[in-house]
Amino acid sequence: MTEVQESGAPSRRSLIGWGGAGLALGAVAAGGAVAMSRVGEDVDPAGADTGAAVAFHGAHQAGIATPVQDRLHFAAFDVKTEDRAEFVGMLKDWTAAARRMTGGHAVGDGAYGGLAEAPPDDTGEALGLKPSRLTLTIGFGPSFFEKFGLKDARPEALVDLPQFPGDNFDKSRTGGDLCVQACADDPQVAVHAIRNLARIGFGKVAIRWSQLGFGKTSSTTPGAQTPRNLMGFKDGTRNIAGTETDRLKKFVWVGEADAGENSAWMTGGSYLVARRIRMNIETWDRTSLQEQEDVFGRDKGEGAPVGKAKEHDAPFLKAMKPDAHVRLAHPDSNGGVTILRRGYSFTDGTDGLGRLDAGLFFLAYQRDVRKGFIPLQRRLSATDALNEYIQHVGSAVFAVPPGVRDKDDWWGSTLFPQDAKGS
C-alpha cells in the first residue's frame, strides 16, 4: 500500500460533511471505539494534507489498506447489458477514468474545450480541486456471476449472507451486481468520481443504490487518533493497520490456496461486506453514561477498556458485562476472527417521525466472508447489548479483485483473461 506523506491543515471543505456539519458518527460490529481526544488533538496525521494523490496501480486495490480518508460515496450497480464485450469495454473505460481522477485529472479530454455539439468527457464539478487522496475500489456481487457465463468463476468464499436476528432490510439498499467505493478528503471529489463512472456506464449499468458517508469510524494509520462514532465512542482501536503486512496477509488478502482452481483470479484481492446500520440516536441520547459504557465495555472519554487506564491497554474481557460489545467482538472471543474496517457515519435526514435517519455505514474487508464477518455477526446479533440501539437495514457482499498492475491493465482483467489479450 502506498502511504502518503502529509503536512498542513485540512481544507474548510473537508471539515464539512453531508447531512450535518458537526456530527462524528460510526460504530458497531467488531470491537469498539472512535475519534477526537479530550485534549483537542483531533487531526489525523494521515489526513493532514487533503491535496495528496494515492497511487492507483499496485498488487492490491487502493482504498482497502490505504490510509482512510474522511469522506465516502459508495455505489452499488446493476448490470443492464447482456453483451460481454460491451461490459468489458466499460470496465476498461472505467479504469482509464479512475486512473485520471485519482491523479487529480479530468476524465478524457475534460469538461470544456471540445466539440460544442457533444457532451464533454468530464462533468466538471471537480475542476480546480486537488486529488484529495481519492481512491476508487471495485467489487463484484454474487448476482454478477449469473451473467456472461461466469457461474463457474464465482468464488466459494463469495457466499450470500444469511439472515441474522434483527435484520430488517430495505430492498432498495441491498445487493448489487458490482460496487464502486470512492473515498476522498473532499466530498465533491468523491461524488464527482461516482457520477462520472455512472455516466460512462450509462446503458450498460445503472446505480441500484448509493450511500454518502462522513467522519471515518476506523483508521488504518498507525499512531493516528482513533475516530469516534455517532454514539460518541471510539471505534476501531485495534483495527488492522496498512503497515501490518503480516496481519493483512493473514486476515485480508486472498492467497493462491484460498482462491481455488476456478477463482484464481481473486488472488491478491479481498472480500467486502457492506452494511447500513441505523442507530436509534434518540433512545441512545436518553441513556445514562454508565449504561452506555457498559454496552461498549469501554469508558467514553479515554476509550479505555473496563478496569484499565488507557485506550490501548489490553482488555480484561471478563471484567466486562457478558453482553458488552467489545467483549463479544474481540478476536479472543471469536477464535481469532479479525476483519479490516473502513466504515463511515451517515445522516440521511429524518424518518418522517422526527427521528434522525443516522448511523454507521459499515465496510469490512476480509480474506474469507465465511471465516470473518459471518461468524462474528452471528455472535453479535445473538447477544450484543448494542442491538437495543441499532438495526441493520441494508446489506451487500462483494468480491474485490486484485489491483491494476500498470497502465496497460484494467479492473477485472483477471476475471476476463481472454478479453485482456491485446488490450
Side-chain angles (χ1 to χ4, degrees):
M1 297 320 77
T2 302
E3 246 187 82
V4 185
Q5 296 297 320
E6 293 139 341
S7 61
S11 67
R12 178 179 180 275
R13 179 193 300 273
S14 74
L15 298 177
I16 301 176
W18 294 292
L23 297 178
L25 195 188
V28 152
V34 191
M36 301 146 241
S37 84
R38 292 178 173 179
V39 295
E41 297 174 355
D42 59 351
V43 177
D44 183 343
D49 182 359
T50 60
V54 176
F56 180 70
H57 299 134
H60 312 292
Q61 289 195 63
I64 302 175
T66 41
V68 184
Q69 306 90 320
D70 215 35
R71 299 291 183 265
L72 167 80
H73 191 186
F74 187 96
F77 294 81
D78 286 333
V79 175
K80 297 300 183 181
T81 182
E82 296 180 358
D83 187 324
R84 177 184 175 122
E86 184 178 48
F87 179 78
V88 169
M90 185 205 74
L91 289 179
K92 294 178 180 179
D93 291 342
W94 270 14
T95 306
R99 186 180 287 116
R100 289 190 60 80
M101 290 188 290
T102 55
H105 307 294
V107 176
D109 291 328
Y112 60 90
L115 289 174
E117 298 77 17
D121 289 342
D122 188 282
T123 53
E125 72 274 22
L127 287 173
L129 300 181
K130 295 179 180 180
S132 300
R133 295 195 298 149
L134 172 67
T135 57
L136 292 166
T137 314
I138 192 172
F140 301 99
S143 57
F144 177 77
F145 296 90
E146 299 171 7
K147 307 174 188 295
F148 309 125
L150 293 171
K151 184 177 181 180
D152 292 340
R154 176 175 170 175
E156 292 182 4
L158 185 63
V159 296
D160 294 302
L161 297 179
Q163 184 86 8
F164 298 103
D167 286 353
N168 185 23
F169 296 144
D170 177 351
K171 291 184 179 180
S172 67
R173 293 181 180 272
T174 298
D177 292 332
L178 66 156
C179 73
V180 178
Q181 171 194 285
C183 299
D185 289 312
D186 187 323
Q188 189 147 318
V189 170
V191 170
H192 168 263
I194 295 295
R195 178 182 176 186
N196 276 272
L197 295 181
R199 179 186 56 80
I200 292 169
F202 182 77
K204 297 173 277 291
V205 296
I207 290 182
R208 180 182 179 89
W209 57 270
S210 68
Q211 181 66 57
L212 299 176
F214 67 94
K216 62 186 178 187
T217 61
S218 293
S219 174
T220 56
T221 306
Q225 286 290 325
T226 307
R228 289 185 187 267
N229 56 49
L230 286 187
M231 289 177 163
F233 279 77
K234 293 184 176 182
D235 205 348
T237 293
R238 190 62 183 95
N239 196 33
I240 301 174
T243 55
E244 293 182 297
T245 54
D246 289 344
R247 292 183 83 201
L248 289 168
K249 183 178 180 180
K250 183 176 181 179
F251 297 114
V252 179
W253 306 131
V254 177
E256 290 184 23
D258 305 313
E261 183 178 352
N262 293 332
S263 53
W265 63 273
M266 271 295 292
T267 302
S270 189
Y271 293 96
L272 168 64
V273 171
R275 305 277 282 191
R276 189 176 191 271
I277 303 173
R278 172 92 181 264
M279 292 180 176
N280 302 322
I281 295 293
E282 292 75 18
T283 303
W284 179 258
D285 289 346
R286 294 194 298 271
T287 300
S288 70
L289 175 61
Q290 184 62 61
E291 183 173 344
Q292 289 183 1
E293 293 183 334
D294 286 344
V295 165
F296 276 97
R298 290 181 180 271
D299 75 66
K300 198 168 187 177
E302 167 62 27
V306 173
K308 302 290 184 174
K310 298 295 183 181
E311 175 192 347
H312 293 281
D313 289 347
F316 179 52
L317 299 180
K318 291 184 179 180
M320 302 175 187
K321 290 198 170 183
D323 58 357
H325 179 69
V326 170
R327 179 171 179 171
L328 293 172
H330 196 278
D332 289 351
S333 300
N334 296 280
V337 170
T338 303
I339 55 179
L340 186 156
R341 285 164 289 153
R342 288 187 66 99
Y344 287 84
S345 299
F346 71 84
T347 58
D348 288 336
T350 62
D351 62 1
L353 298 174
R355 299 173 301 194
L356 280 175
D357 181 5
L360 167 70
F361 190 63
F362 174 80
L363 295 168
Y365 288 89
Q366 60 241 273
R367 186 172 168 180
D368 191 325
V369 176
R370 299 166 299 179
K371 300 175 182 179
F373 177 79
I374 290 177
L376 179 60
Q377 184 58 24
R378 278 200 176 115
R379 184 174 179 85
L380 291 172
S381 63
T383 57
D384 190 354
L386 194 57
N387 292 335
E388 181 179 348
Y389 304 98
I390 64 172
Q391 187 169 58
H392 291 234
V393 295
S395 178
V397 59
F398 302 95
V400 177
V404 176
R405 296 163 295 181
D406 52 41
K407 64 181 181 60
D408 297 317
D409 197 11
W410 44 276
W411 275 336
S413 63
T414 57
L415 178 57
F416 295 95
Q418 59 271 50
D419 301 89
K421 297 176 181 178
S423 65

